[in-house]
Amino acid sequence: MGVEPACPVLLLFLAGIIIWVVEAEVHYYDFVLAEKNFTRLCKTKSMLVVNGQFPGPTIYVHKGDTVFVNVHNHGDSGLTVHWHGVKQPRNPWSDGSAYITQCPIEPGHNFTYEVVFSEEEGTLWWHANSDWTRNTVHGAIVIYPPHGFSYPFPTPAGEQILILGTWFTYDVNKVIKEILRTGKDVPVSDAYIINGQPGDFCACSKEMAYRWQVDYGKTYLIRLVNALMNEEFFFAIAGHDLIVVGIDGSYLKPFTTSYVMLSNGQTMDVLVKTNRSPGRYYMAGRQYYTDNLFFTGYDKTNASAILEYRGKYDRLSSPFFPEKLPSYTDYDSATQFRKRLKSLASKEHPIDVPRNVTTQMYITASMDKIVHNFSAYMDYTLLSSLNNISWVNPSTDVLQAYYRNLSGFYTLDFPDEPPYYFDFVADLRDDSTHPLKGTKVKVLEYGEEVEIVFQSTNLLNASDEHSMYIHGHKFYVLGEGYGNFNSTRDTETYNLVDPPYLSTASLPVKGWLTIRFKANNPGVWAMHCQEGRHLIWGMNTVLIVKNGSNPETSIRTPPPNMPSCASYPSIHKALEVSAE
């Protein structure tokens, strides 16, 4: 990895008219994806990883830096890599959304991403973005304050990255390919892991639990990443309070808690003070389960790692386990935790909640199924949808088609509201809405201020918590609640003063979530549920933000050697003609 200076970044804060110049840097990484054997839970399997590591390498930058990552695909199927929570101003070409901003990097090929860090500060992550390859292809991104500036809290004595993940004892990607063909349900994981290890409570794992050594009397920064495939996750450290200071690359008003809850795909920065009796303490997590309570076969693994004080004490006794780690179905603990998330809202870290909304959308998130009536029997295919539309990937990426003005790959009619209104959260065992499969997008003018109310439905009696994520933009979470959204009553509860500024947020089970953002990043951007099972079934759409009035508010020109859709040669010809 090499580092060289780039052009200075100019920062201006109107409060006090303070101007300073920060030297941004350019960093270079090579990501080589290849199969490697790993043994967990008494079984060995081969899996795709980056640079032979699991989790993959961490990217370290300062706010304002740019990173070039050359991804070499030595695997056996195409994939992309996405930089989760990174805005990528005017640069959708390097967003890494399969069939939305690029076609997959085919085996034996490579592609260089340009990742631009503009407003982010804290912890984010990167991951593969094709089917379920992100289960093993992922890693953390650490974004320090600009050179010469510090955290909005006392500088910690050290820091630790903890990546929460999902483990299968077999090649789950092969299973997912079959599921995509048949439309059946996805498998339950065999264990949850912390930094690649299940921990002391799983078979053949006790000696391999991840350990973090600390000194007494210090304050440390923990960077948490929820890289699980489908689940929200509770996390706690035995005997130690956690001070939450950041989320999704933005700072929060600090608050102290005995546990945290991370939405799927979310990242969190927390401080921990090592002020307990020197000893060994479990850092543990478990799934926050919100799906059908009649199903009890979900993964109940307690993933664990060990915080270990340096010094002399009895190391033969078992570590302490966190007494206040919430139970799997503790809705109240999850809800109360999210209510405490508030933006820092300081002079150095101002917020700008949109107040002049020009586009309002009401979007239902549903589990669905399509029934097939064959001559000898009936069968069904599971789907998920937004506003009754289940996303279908086009044969080339939407960005190329939009940029080259190619027709026939998508339509501009994603609806602003659902086609049917009913009691969305009632016990609805059947699906009478008949979802449509399509490639429908929503077009926004540059600079529009957008409000979206997401509404969870209980179709098929399968309401679940959804982690809603928007590429290319962060948004303010104004409010959430259980039940059907009420535009009179619920708007009165909105937080317009210091709402959290997120890229991923939980839509409560049988509930609603309201967000606002300014569409000031021209390009093609996915909006979807981050959970793997819902995403592959179609809980996805695309926001196209049109160019502004000048080059500085318009999409950049595409880089050379964008991956092509190898399976569709006729499309390549169309792209070549349109580029001439």
Side-chain angles (χ1 to χ4, degrees), residues 359-506:
T359 295
Q360 288 186 305
M361 302 180 74
Y362 184 64
I363 299 178
T364 52
S366 303
M367 284 300 304
D368 309 280
K369 68 180 178 181
I370 293 179
V371 177
H372 307 282
N373 193 355
F374 300 104
S375 57
Y377 64 96
M378 294 181 66
D379 201 358
Y380 66 91
T381 298
L382 286 171
L383 294 175
S384 59
S385 66
L386 295 174
N387 272 356
N388 218 46
I389 307 298
S390 186
W391 176 265
V392 176
N393 281 333
S395 52
T396 192
D397 59 279
V398 177
L399 176 57
Q400 283 281 10
Y402 171 70
Y403 189 81
R404 307 294 185 192
N405 198 27
L406 302 176
S407 61
F409 297 103
Y410 61 88
T411 60
L412 305 176
D413 55 346
F414 182 84
D416 287 349
E417 59 182 334
Y420 315 104
Y421 281 84
F422 48 90
D423 185 353
F424 294 119
V425 300
D427 187 358
L428 303 166
R429 297 186 181 277
D430 296 321
D431 181 4
S432 58
T433 60
H434 306 295
L436 302 176
K437 299 179 72 173
T439 310
K440 300 177 182 291
V441 309
K442 170 69 178 178
V443 178
L444 298 169
E445 297 292 331
Y446 181 86
E448 279 201 68
E449 296 189 351
V450 183
E451 179 178 289
I452 300 176
V453 176
F454 291 105
Q455 174 71 59
S456 178
T457 80
N458 197 30
L459 293 172
L460 305 182
N461 195 23
S463 183
D464 193 4
E465 195 131 312
H466 302 292
S467 294
M468 304 310 299
Y469 173 51
I470 302 181
H471 293 230
H473 293 80
K474 294 180 74 171
F475 50 79
Y476 292 98
V477 175
L478 303 191
E480 65 169 71
Y482 291 103
N484 295 305
F485 176 74
N486 183 298
S487 59
T488 301
R489 178 191 64 231
D490 293 329
T491 53
E492 295 177 356
T493 68
Y494 284 176
N495 177 6
L496 297 172
V497 177
D498 53 5
Y501 190 46
L502 310 178
S503 59
T504 309
S506 292

Side-chain angles (χ1 to χ4, degrees), residues 140-264:
I141 302 174
V142 172
I143 310 146
Y144 295 114
H147 289 287
F149 297 89
S150 60
Y151 300 111
F153 47 81
T155 301
E159 61 181 55
Q160 177 65 230
I161 298 169
L162 297 178
I163 300 180
L164 313 171
T166 312
W167 187 263
F168 297 86
T169 57
Y170 50 87
D171 186 347
V172 72
N173 291 301
K174 292 181 179 178
V175 176
I176 294 301
K177 288 179 181 178
E178 178 65 13
I179 285 169
L180 288 172
R181 187 184 68 82
T182 62
K184 302 309 179 187
D185 206 347
V186 300
V188 173
S189 54
D190 294 299
Y192 296 123
I193 51 179
I194 298 178
N195 285 0
Q197 295 291 344
D200 285 0
F201 304 100
C202 296
C204 304
S205 303
K206 192 172 181 64
E207 298 303 318
M208 303 301 294
Y210 185 80
R211 285 169 168 76
W212 174 33
Q213 288 195 328
V214 298
D215 291 316
Y216 177 81
K218 305 287 187 181
T219 299
Y220 292 89
L221 172 62
I222 301 177
R223 301 179 180 272
L224 287 166
V225 177
N226 182 347
L228 278 71
M229 284 309 305
N230 291 301
E231 296 82 14
E232 285 80 18
F233 215 61
F234 289 119
F235 174 85
I237 302 178
H240 294 73
D241 284 334
L242 303 174
I243 306 171
V244 182
V245 294
I247 188 170
D248 282 357
S250 296
Y251 291 118
L252 295 170
K253 286 183 170 65
F255 65 92
T256 301
T257 176
S258 59
Y259 68 94
V260 299
M261 196 284 288
L262 291 93
S263 299
N264 190 258

